[in-house]
Amino acid sequence: MAPGFQDLQLTRVSGGDVGDFEDARLLDSYEDNSEAALEEGMERVQVRVTGMTCAACSTSIEGALRSLNGVLRASVALLQNKADVIFDPNLVKDDDIKNAIEDAGFEAEILIEPNSFKTKNNGTLVGQFTIGGMTCAACVNSVEGILRSLPGVKRAVVALATSLGEVEYDPTIINKDDIVTAIEDAGFEASFVQSSQQDKIILGVAGVYSEMDVHFLEGIISELKGVRQFRFDQTSKELEILFDPEVVKPRSLVDGIQGGSGGSFSLHVTSPYTRMTSKDVAETSNMLRLFTSSLYLSIPVFLIRVVCPQIPLVYSLLRWQCGPFFMGDWLKWALVSIVQFVIGKRFYVAAGRALRNGSTNMDVLVALGTSASYFYSVFALLYSAITGSRSLPTYFETSSMLITFVLLGKYLESLAKGKTSDAIKKLVELVPATALLLVKDKDGRCIKEREIDALLIQPGDTLKVLPGSKVPADGVVIWGSSYINESMVTGESVPILKEVNSLVIGGTINQHGALHIAATRVGSDAVLSQIISLVETAQMSKAPIQKFADFIASIFVPAVVALSLVTFFGWYTAGALGAYPEDWLREKGNYFVFSLMFSISVVVIACPCALGLATPTAVMVATGVGANNGVLIKGGDALERAQKVKYVILDKTGTLTQGKASVTDVKVFNGMDRGAFLKLVASAEASSEHPMARAIMDYARHFHFFDETPVEGSKDQKDPNSGWLSEASEFNALPGRGVQCFINGKQLLVGNRKLLIENGIEIPSHVENCVIELEDSAKTGILVACDRELIGVIGVADPLKREAAVVVEGLVKMGVKPVMVTGDNWRTARAVAREVGILEVMAEVMPAGKAEAVKSFQKDGSTVAMVGDGINDSPALAAADVGMAIGAGTDIAIEAADYVLMRNNLEDVITAIDLSRKTFSRIRWNYVFAMAYNIVAIPIAAGVFFPWLRLMLPPWVAGACMASSSVSVVCSSLLLRRYRKPRLTTILEITVE
């Protein structure tokens, strides 16, 4: 199991003296074990710290942490609002660290791994829940507060834009049903979606029609081995089974139930993503139903008030006295009461739960505004019935039209929010529905094909992939060849040839020939599932700028209510004192009604929703757009940092270069046969894992056998006993120098100058000149000495990527300063830098020193991005403000990176920075729209300009304005869907004829 995104950021690389010979690719040997690099017995924890404002705060916290007995090291990152602590668990606990920070006057939260659907080491589960009824940031804060207060809940994050909540909890203390109940008790709608539990499956069952069928189904399940618990919901027809994965597998459960029923029951695995999508559709449909119902009832009320008085016959009927009221009054009262208390019930319920939880939101404003209009109208009717006076006009149409427009806004908002989650929907659509399983006999021969649910595929299954169909799971080709379109996953537009031993990704399209593949990674371990999970996690995250909206939301509604009261009493007092002319009251009847209309308009027109949606909707769209372009973003905070990048530090090997070293020159100085020389060097390098060692092996093998370079990972690639190599003894890899061993009793040294000098071997001038010539040509010179005699030099080159130079120039044009860092020698480093146009170079940097190189550029407060792909780049990726792992391919869970660039193309670095800049430009515009709307609209609604312009907004018009404000912000975010990757010709101002 891969650790969470935060874990690798804490890895400490031991053995600092590691040079260019350790510059191996991350994707060639990625086995993360962040704890292994810690001192024995030590543990590491990251803490989110809230309340820091300057460097003095971070210094204060570091001092408080270091004073704890058992804390080995503590560092606080002000910009990231995080503390990194290494401690002895026998002397100090996580809670002690948290308490120390809080005692220093700051808020603290222990961070856990954010990858939602991985099993937690401490026995906790992560569950995902849909939460309905949230309208603004205040609702989010309320739900998060409720969840975090539950016993057994370790962490809770709620996203307004997706209506999802993610909760980490201890299943021995609290279960998912308790969490759902707690949310519902707070007045919100809630349902469980999925969890990280690996021993549970939810199945949809067809064929159950009666209680007898239910008992029959339960009897079958009771007989199955490995089943711990099960529950069947007759309403949803869903069967939830808890099982022992060491005894039974999900496919065996399905086969056992269907076989035991004799085909009476048909089962399918319920996809959590499908359930989430159906809930979104249901919410949108419900909003449409409520809006249309309110509209149909409000139109007659509006006609009675505005149109009917112009039609004498109809007006006379409405003026017909029926008891204490006119017929028209009865009709308006009846119709509006339905709108107010049946259709508008949701606003009262939501307002009630908000007030119960000690918070306020938009529903409180709507409930106040409509209630004031409705109950005033009822009072006016009763007053006229008792006194016989018609001096008080009614405003029933105000409350009904207000509710109608608010519901229209919520419906349009739900549609727009649905568009923001299109990226997830598109990814979910890629998940194959079925697979062709090849059933084999004991001898491994295929005896039949069987179609199964793709969610029931198990590692090791042999699957058949037909032309034009989706690859059902991640795996390796064992038969056949074909071209596969991987653009929907990696962003690589050109179809890729897949042959035997090639890796394939589930969800990609097989274009031509038939393939047989062996499934390797399924379920939550599959690449597509990890991408979906990563995008979901990113969309759940909050950018630091969101704190501004959360603060405004916490004070917005009380401030608006107070302003409404001030407006009412201000106008009422002015009227009572006779401060305004009588013609102002001609339509309103009296100054009480006149003042009340202004007050209601203020309550209704104010909209906190737009502020709450400004950031999360833009982040949602941006993460989706990034995923569609092969750029995976791990959160809103990463987006915010990336748009401020000043320096981009580029690792040389595998980032600027292709990462495919090849031998270009071989020079032998002692008269030894060239073939014997290559055999000798290859025998020494056979046990090395370094890419240059592989290049030498391939060259030597090809020289001896004139064959093609073997497939990566084949058995004979580096096997010292393959028959043509000599046996090496006492092999020792010397980081930063090379290798040494004994062959046929003679010591052999293969490496750089430092290795030979340390062993007392002099380098003649003609050899030094040869090495300098290689280095000036951007090649690496590898010296070979046998029995203390320098016998030859091998030149190895790693070609630059074709786009490297133009990308570097493009970064400069964007105002970003590129820097190259490498463990290679200065001469080679400068030669490479000249070729790509980089002016600033850091050479002979040990892998552990790359992180220090990053920090050296951060000293003046600059935002630094690190782009790398090697395992030795991980500390530097973590130390950078923005870590970008390039060329991830199928390994998308690169923990130290904030951005994962699926393709091995440097152009995506420009895309990542450009997308971040455009996203935050859009967020700023969203805040401008939201703030400007409230700043302009509230004074107009309060009647500030009425004395001069006679400008007065009726409450129902104010409601229409309020509804449009949140919709406009969401639509503004949706403009990011039109984002296109920047063209280098445009950035470089190149005119193409």
Side-chain angles (χ1 to χ4, degrees), residues 210-411:
S210 63
E211 285 293 331
M212 186 175 296
D213 292 333
V214 173
H215 292 312
F216 182 35
L217 174 63
E218 292 175 345
I220 295 172
I221 300 172
S222 300
E223 297 297 323
L224 295 176
K225 294 181 179 179
V227 174
R228 293 171 175 166
Q229 297 176 10
F230 64 89
R231 185 182 61 157
F232 179 68
D233 188 330
Q234 296 190 51
T235 304
S236 62
K237 305 296 184 186
E238 287 187 348
L239 174 63
E240 184 177 305
I241 302 178
L242 192 66
F243 61 94
D244 185 347
E246 295 183 1
V247 177
V248 65
K249 301 297 181 185
R251 190 163 74 223
S252 300
L253 288 173
V254 173
D255 292 344
I257 296 171
Q258 291 185 156
S261 69
S264 300
F265 301 141
S266 176
L267 282 74
H268 66 276
V269 181
T270 302
S271 169
Y273 304 113
T274 304
R275 296 163 73 198
M276 289 165 57
T277 303
S278 64
K279 288 183 180 294
D280 292 340
V281 172
E283 175 66 16
T284 303
S285 301
N286 183 50
M287 280 298 169
L288 178 61
R289 180 181 58 81
L290 291 174
F291 162 67
T292 53
S293 300
S294 180
L295 180 64
Y296 291 150
L297 293 172
S298 297
I299 288 176
V301 177
F302 182 79
L303 293 176
I304 291 172
R305 176 62 184 263
V306 179
V307 179
C308 292
Q310 311 303 320
I311 306 173
L313 179 60
V314 176
Y315 187 62
S316 63
L317 291 175
L318 294 175
R319 298 283 294 177
W320 177 50
Q321 190 76 31
C322 185
F325 310 122
F326 291 142
M327 177 60 71
D329 294 331
W330 281 113
L331 287 173
K332 287 192 292 184
W333 193 359
L335 292 172
V336 173
S337 294
I338 296 174
V339 174
Q340 184 76 26
F341 299 110
V342 178
I343 297 174
K345 175 184 175 182
R346 67 189 309 276
F347 297 112
Y348 284 104
V349 171
R353 72 188 171 218
L355 294 173
R356 267 200 318 273
N357 296 319
S359 64
T360 51
N361 57 20
M362 186 208 73
D363 296 300
V364 173
L365 297 179
V366 175
L368 279 175
T370 57
S371 296
S373 177
Y374 176 84
F375 287 111
Y376 161 76
S377 299
V378 171
F379 169 77
L381 272 184
L382 296 176
Y383 179 81
S384 64
I386 295 172
T387 64
S389 170
R390 294 281 175 177
S391 60
L392 295 180
T394 60
Y395 291 96
F396 281 118
E397 71 282 353
T398 294
S399 62
S400 65
M401 293 300 291
L402 174 55
I403 288 175
T404 301
F405 277 113
V406 171
L407 289 172
L408 172 61
K410 300 306 292 182
Y411 168 64

Side-chain angles (χ1 to χ4, degrees), residues 92-128:
V92 66
K93 304 298 182 186
D94 289 4
D95 288 340
D96 298 328
I97 294 171
K98 179 175 180 289
N99 293 335
I101 297 174
E102 291 176 343
D103 290 343
F106 301 88
E107 297 179 12
E109 177 190 353
I110 301 296
L111 292 175
I112 59 169
E113 64 177 70
N115 195 345
S116 304
F117 304 110
K118 300 284 184 180
T119 305
K120 300 292 179 179
N121 293 330
N122 55 7
T124 60
L125 297 177
V126 174
Q128 199 173 58

Side-chain angles (χ1 to χ4, degrees), residues 573-769:
T573 302
L577 296 174
Y580 45 77
E582 286 296 324
D583 64 306
W584 289 11
L585 307 176
R586 189 170 294 122
E587 292 184 5
K588 305 303 176 187
N590 59 57
Y591 51 80
F592 175 84
V593 179
F594 187 74
S595 305
L596 183 63
M597 290 301 102
F598 280 124
S599 179
I600 293 174
S601 294
V602 169
V603 168
V604 169
I605 204 168
C607 183
C609 300
L611 284 170
L613 292 169
T615 298
T617 52
V619 170
M620 279 187 67
V621 177
T623 52
V625 168
N628 291 337
N629 286 281
V631 177
L632 301 182
I633 307 165
K634 293 189 177 178
D637 54 343
L639 274 168
E640 185 163 349
R641 294 194 300 271
Q643 53 100 21
K644 298 183 291 186
V645 165
K646 183 177 179 181
Y647 293 97
V648 171
I649 298 179
L650 300 156
D651 182 47
K652 179 179 77 73
T653 304
T655 301
L656 286 169
T657 66
Q658 296 177 13
K660 298 176 181 178
S662 59
V663 174
T664 59
D665 301 85
V666 177
K667 296 187 178 181
V668 185
F669 300 120
N670 66 342
M672 180 184 291
D673 177 70
R674 185 185 184 91
F677 171 76
L678 288 173
K679 178 179 179 181
L680 188 66
V681 178
S683 300
E685 295 284 18
S687 299
S688 174
E689 294 290 336
H690 197 275
M692 291 188 181
R694 299 179 188 177
I696 293 171
M697 283 289 298
D698 292 339
Y699 185 86
R701 180 185 293 104
H702 184 73
F703 185 88
H704 276 268
F705 301 109
F706 301 99
D707 64 352
E708 296 295 328
T709 301
V711 177
E712 181 79 17
S714 61
K715 291 183 179 179
D716 66 338
Q717 185 183 3
K718 296 192 283 84
D719 184 1
N721 299 315
S722 55
W724 65 282
L725 297 177
S726 302
E727 183 176 352
S729 60
E730 300 183 36
F731 175 86
N732 189 15
L734 303 171
R737 295 165 179 79
V739 300
Q740 68 178 17
C741 62
F742 285 87
I743 297 178
N744 299 326
K746 297 180 179 180
Q747 184 189 44
L748 190 69
L749 301 174
V750 182
N752 56 21
R753 295 180 181 88
K754 187 181 295 185
L755 176 64
L756 270 65
I757 292 171
E758 288 179 353
N759 283 271
I761 300 175
E762 184 180 350
I763 302 176
S765 59
H766 70 281
V767 176
E768 178 66 23
N769 292 335

Side-chain angles (χ1 to χ4, degrees), residues 392-708:
L392 295 180
T394 60
Y395 291 96
F396 281 118
E397 71 282 353
T398 294
S399 62
S400 65
M401 293 300 291
L402 174 55
I403 288 175
T404 301
F405 277 113
V406 171
L407 289 172
L408 172 61
K410 300 306 292 182
Y411 168 64
L412 294 176
E413 184 182 316
S414 65
L415 280 179
K417 284 165 66 177
K419 292 292 184 182
T420 64
S421 58
D422 276 355
I424 293 289
K425 294 175 183 176
K426 289 179 180 178
L427 289 170
V428 171
E429 289 172 358
L430 296 178
V431 178
T434 60
L436 281 176
L437 175 67
L438 298 179
V439 182
K440 298 182 178 181
D441 59 16
K442 295 181 179 179
D443 297 326
R445 293 174 298 186
C446 179
I447 55 176
K448 66 175 180 178
E449 295 179 8
R450 174 191 169 194
E451 187 175 80
I452 63 170
D453 193 315
L455 295 175
L456 295 175
I457 297 173
Q458 298 170 179
D461 283 347
T462 301
L463 307 169
K464 183 176 182 179
V465 188
L466 298 175
S469 65
K470 294 179 181 177
V471 176
D474 295 358
V476 60
V477 177
I478 58 175
W479 177 87
S481 65
S482 179
Y483 282 89
I484 288 185
N485 181 4
E486 296 182 346
S487 61
M488 64 289 297
V489 176
T490 66
E492 185 63 61
S493 58
V494 179
I496 299 172
L497 175 64
K498 301 292 183 179
E499 299 176 304
V500 174
N501 293 331
S502 297
L503 299 176
V504 292
I505 305 173
T508 55
I509 306 297
N510 179 25
Q511 292 194 329
H512 300 296
L515 296 173
H516 290 182
I517 68 170
T520 55
R521 297 194 293 187
V522 300
S524 60
D525 292 329
V527 168
L528 190 54
S529 295
Q530 290 185 47
I531 292 175
I532 293 172
S533 178
L534 191 149
V535 174
E536 280 185 330
T537 301
Q539 293 182 349
M540 290 283 292
S541 68
K542 294 183 180 180
I545 196 173
Q546 179 68 24
K547 294 177 182 179
F548 167 73
D550 292 343
F551 170 73
I552 295 295
S554 65
I555 62 172
F556 188 88
V557 175
V560 168
V561 173
L563 181 60
S564 173
L565 294 174
V566 170
T567 300
F568 173 79
F569 286 111
W571 281 107
Y572 184 83
T573 302
L577 296 174
Y580 45 77
E582 286 296 324
D583 64 306
W584 289 11
L585 307 176
R586 189 170 294 122
E587 292 184 5
K588 305 303 176 187
N590 59 57
Y591 51 80
F592 175 84
V593 179
F594 187 74
S595 305
L596 183 63
M597 290 301 102
F598 280 124
S599 179
I600 293 174
S601 294
V602 169
V603 168
V604 169
I605 204 168
C607 183
C609 300
L611 284 170
L613 292 169
T615 298
T617 52
V619 170
M620 279 187 67
V621 177
T623 52
V625 168
N628 291 337
N629 286 281
V631 177
L632 301 182
I633 307 165
K634 293 189 177 178
D637 54 343
L639 274 168
E640 185 163 349
R641 294 194 300 271
Q643 53 100 21
K644 298 183 291 186
V645 165
K646 183 177 179 181
Y647 293 97
V648 171
I649 298 179
L650 300 156
D651 182 47
K652 179 179 77 73
T653 304
T655 301
L656 286 169
T657 66
Q658 296 177 13
K660 298 176 181 178
S662 59
V663 174
T664 59
D665 301 85
V666 177
K667 296 187 178 181
V668 185
F669 300 120
N670 66 342
M672 180 184 291
D673 177 70
R674 185 185 184 91
F677 171 76
L678 288 173
K679 178 179 179 181
L680 188 66
V681 178
S683 300
E685 295 284 18
S687 299
S688 174
E689 294 290 336
H690 197 275
M692 291 188 181
R694 299 179 188 177
I696 293 171
M697 283 289 298
D698 292 339
Y699 185 86
R701 180 185 293 104
H702 184 73
F703 185 88
H704 276 268
F705 301 109
F706 301 99
D707 64 352
E708 296 295 328

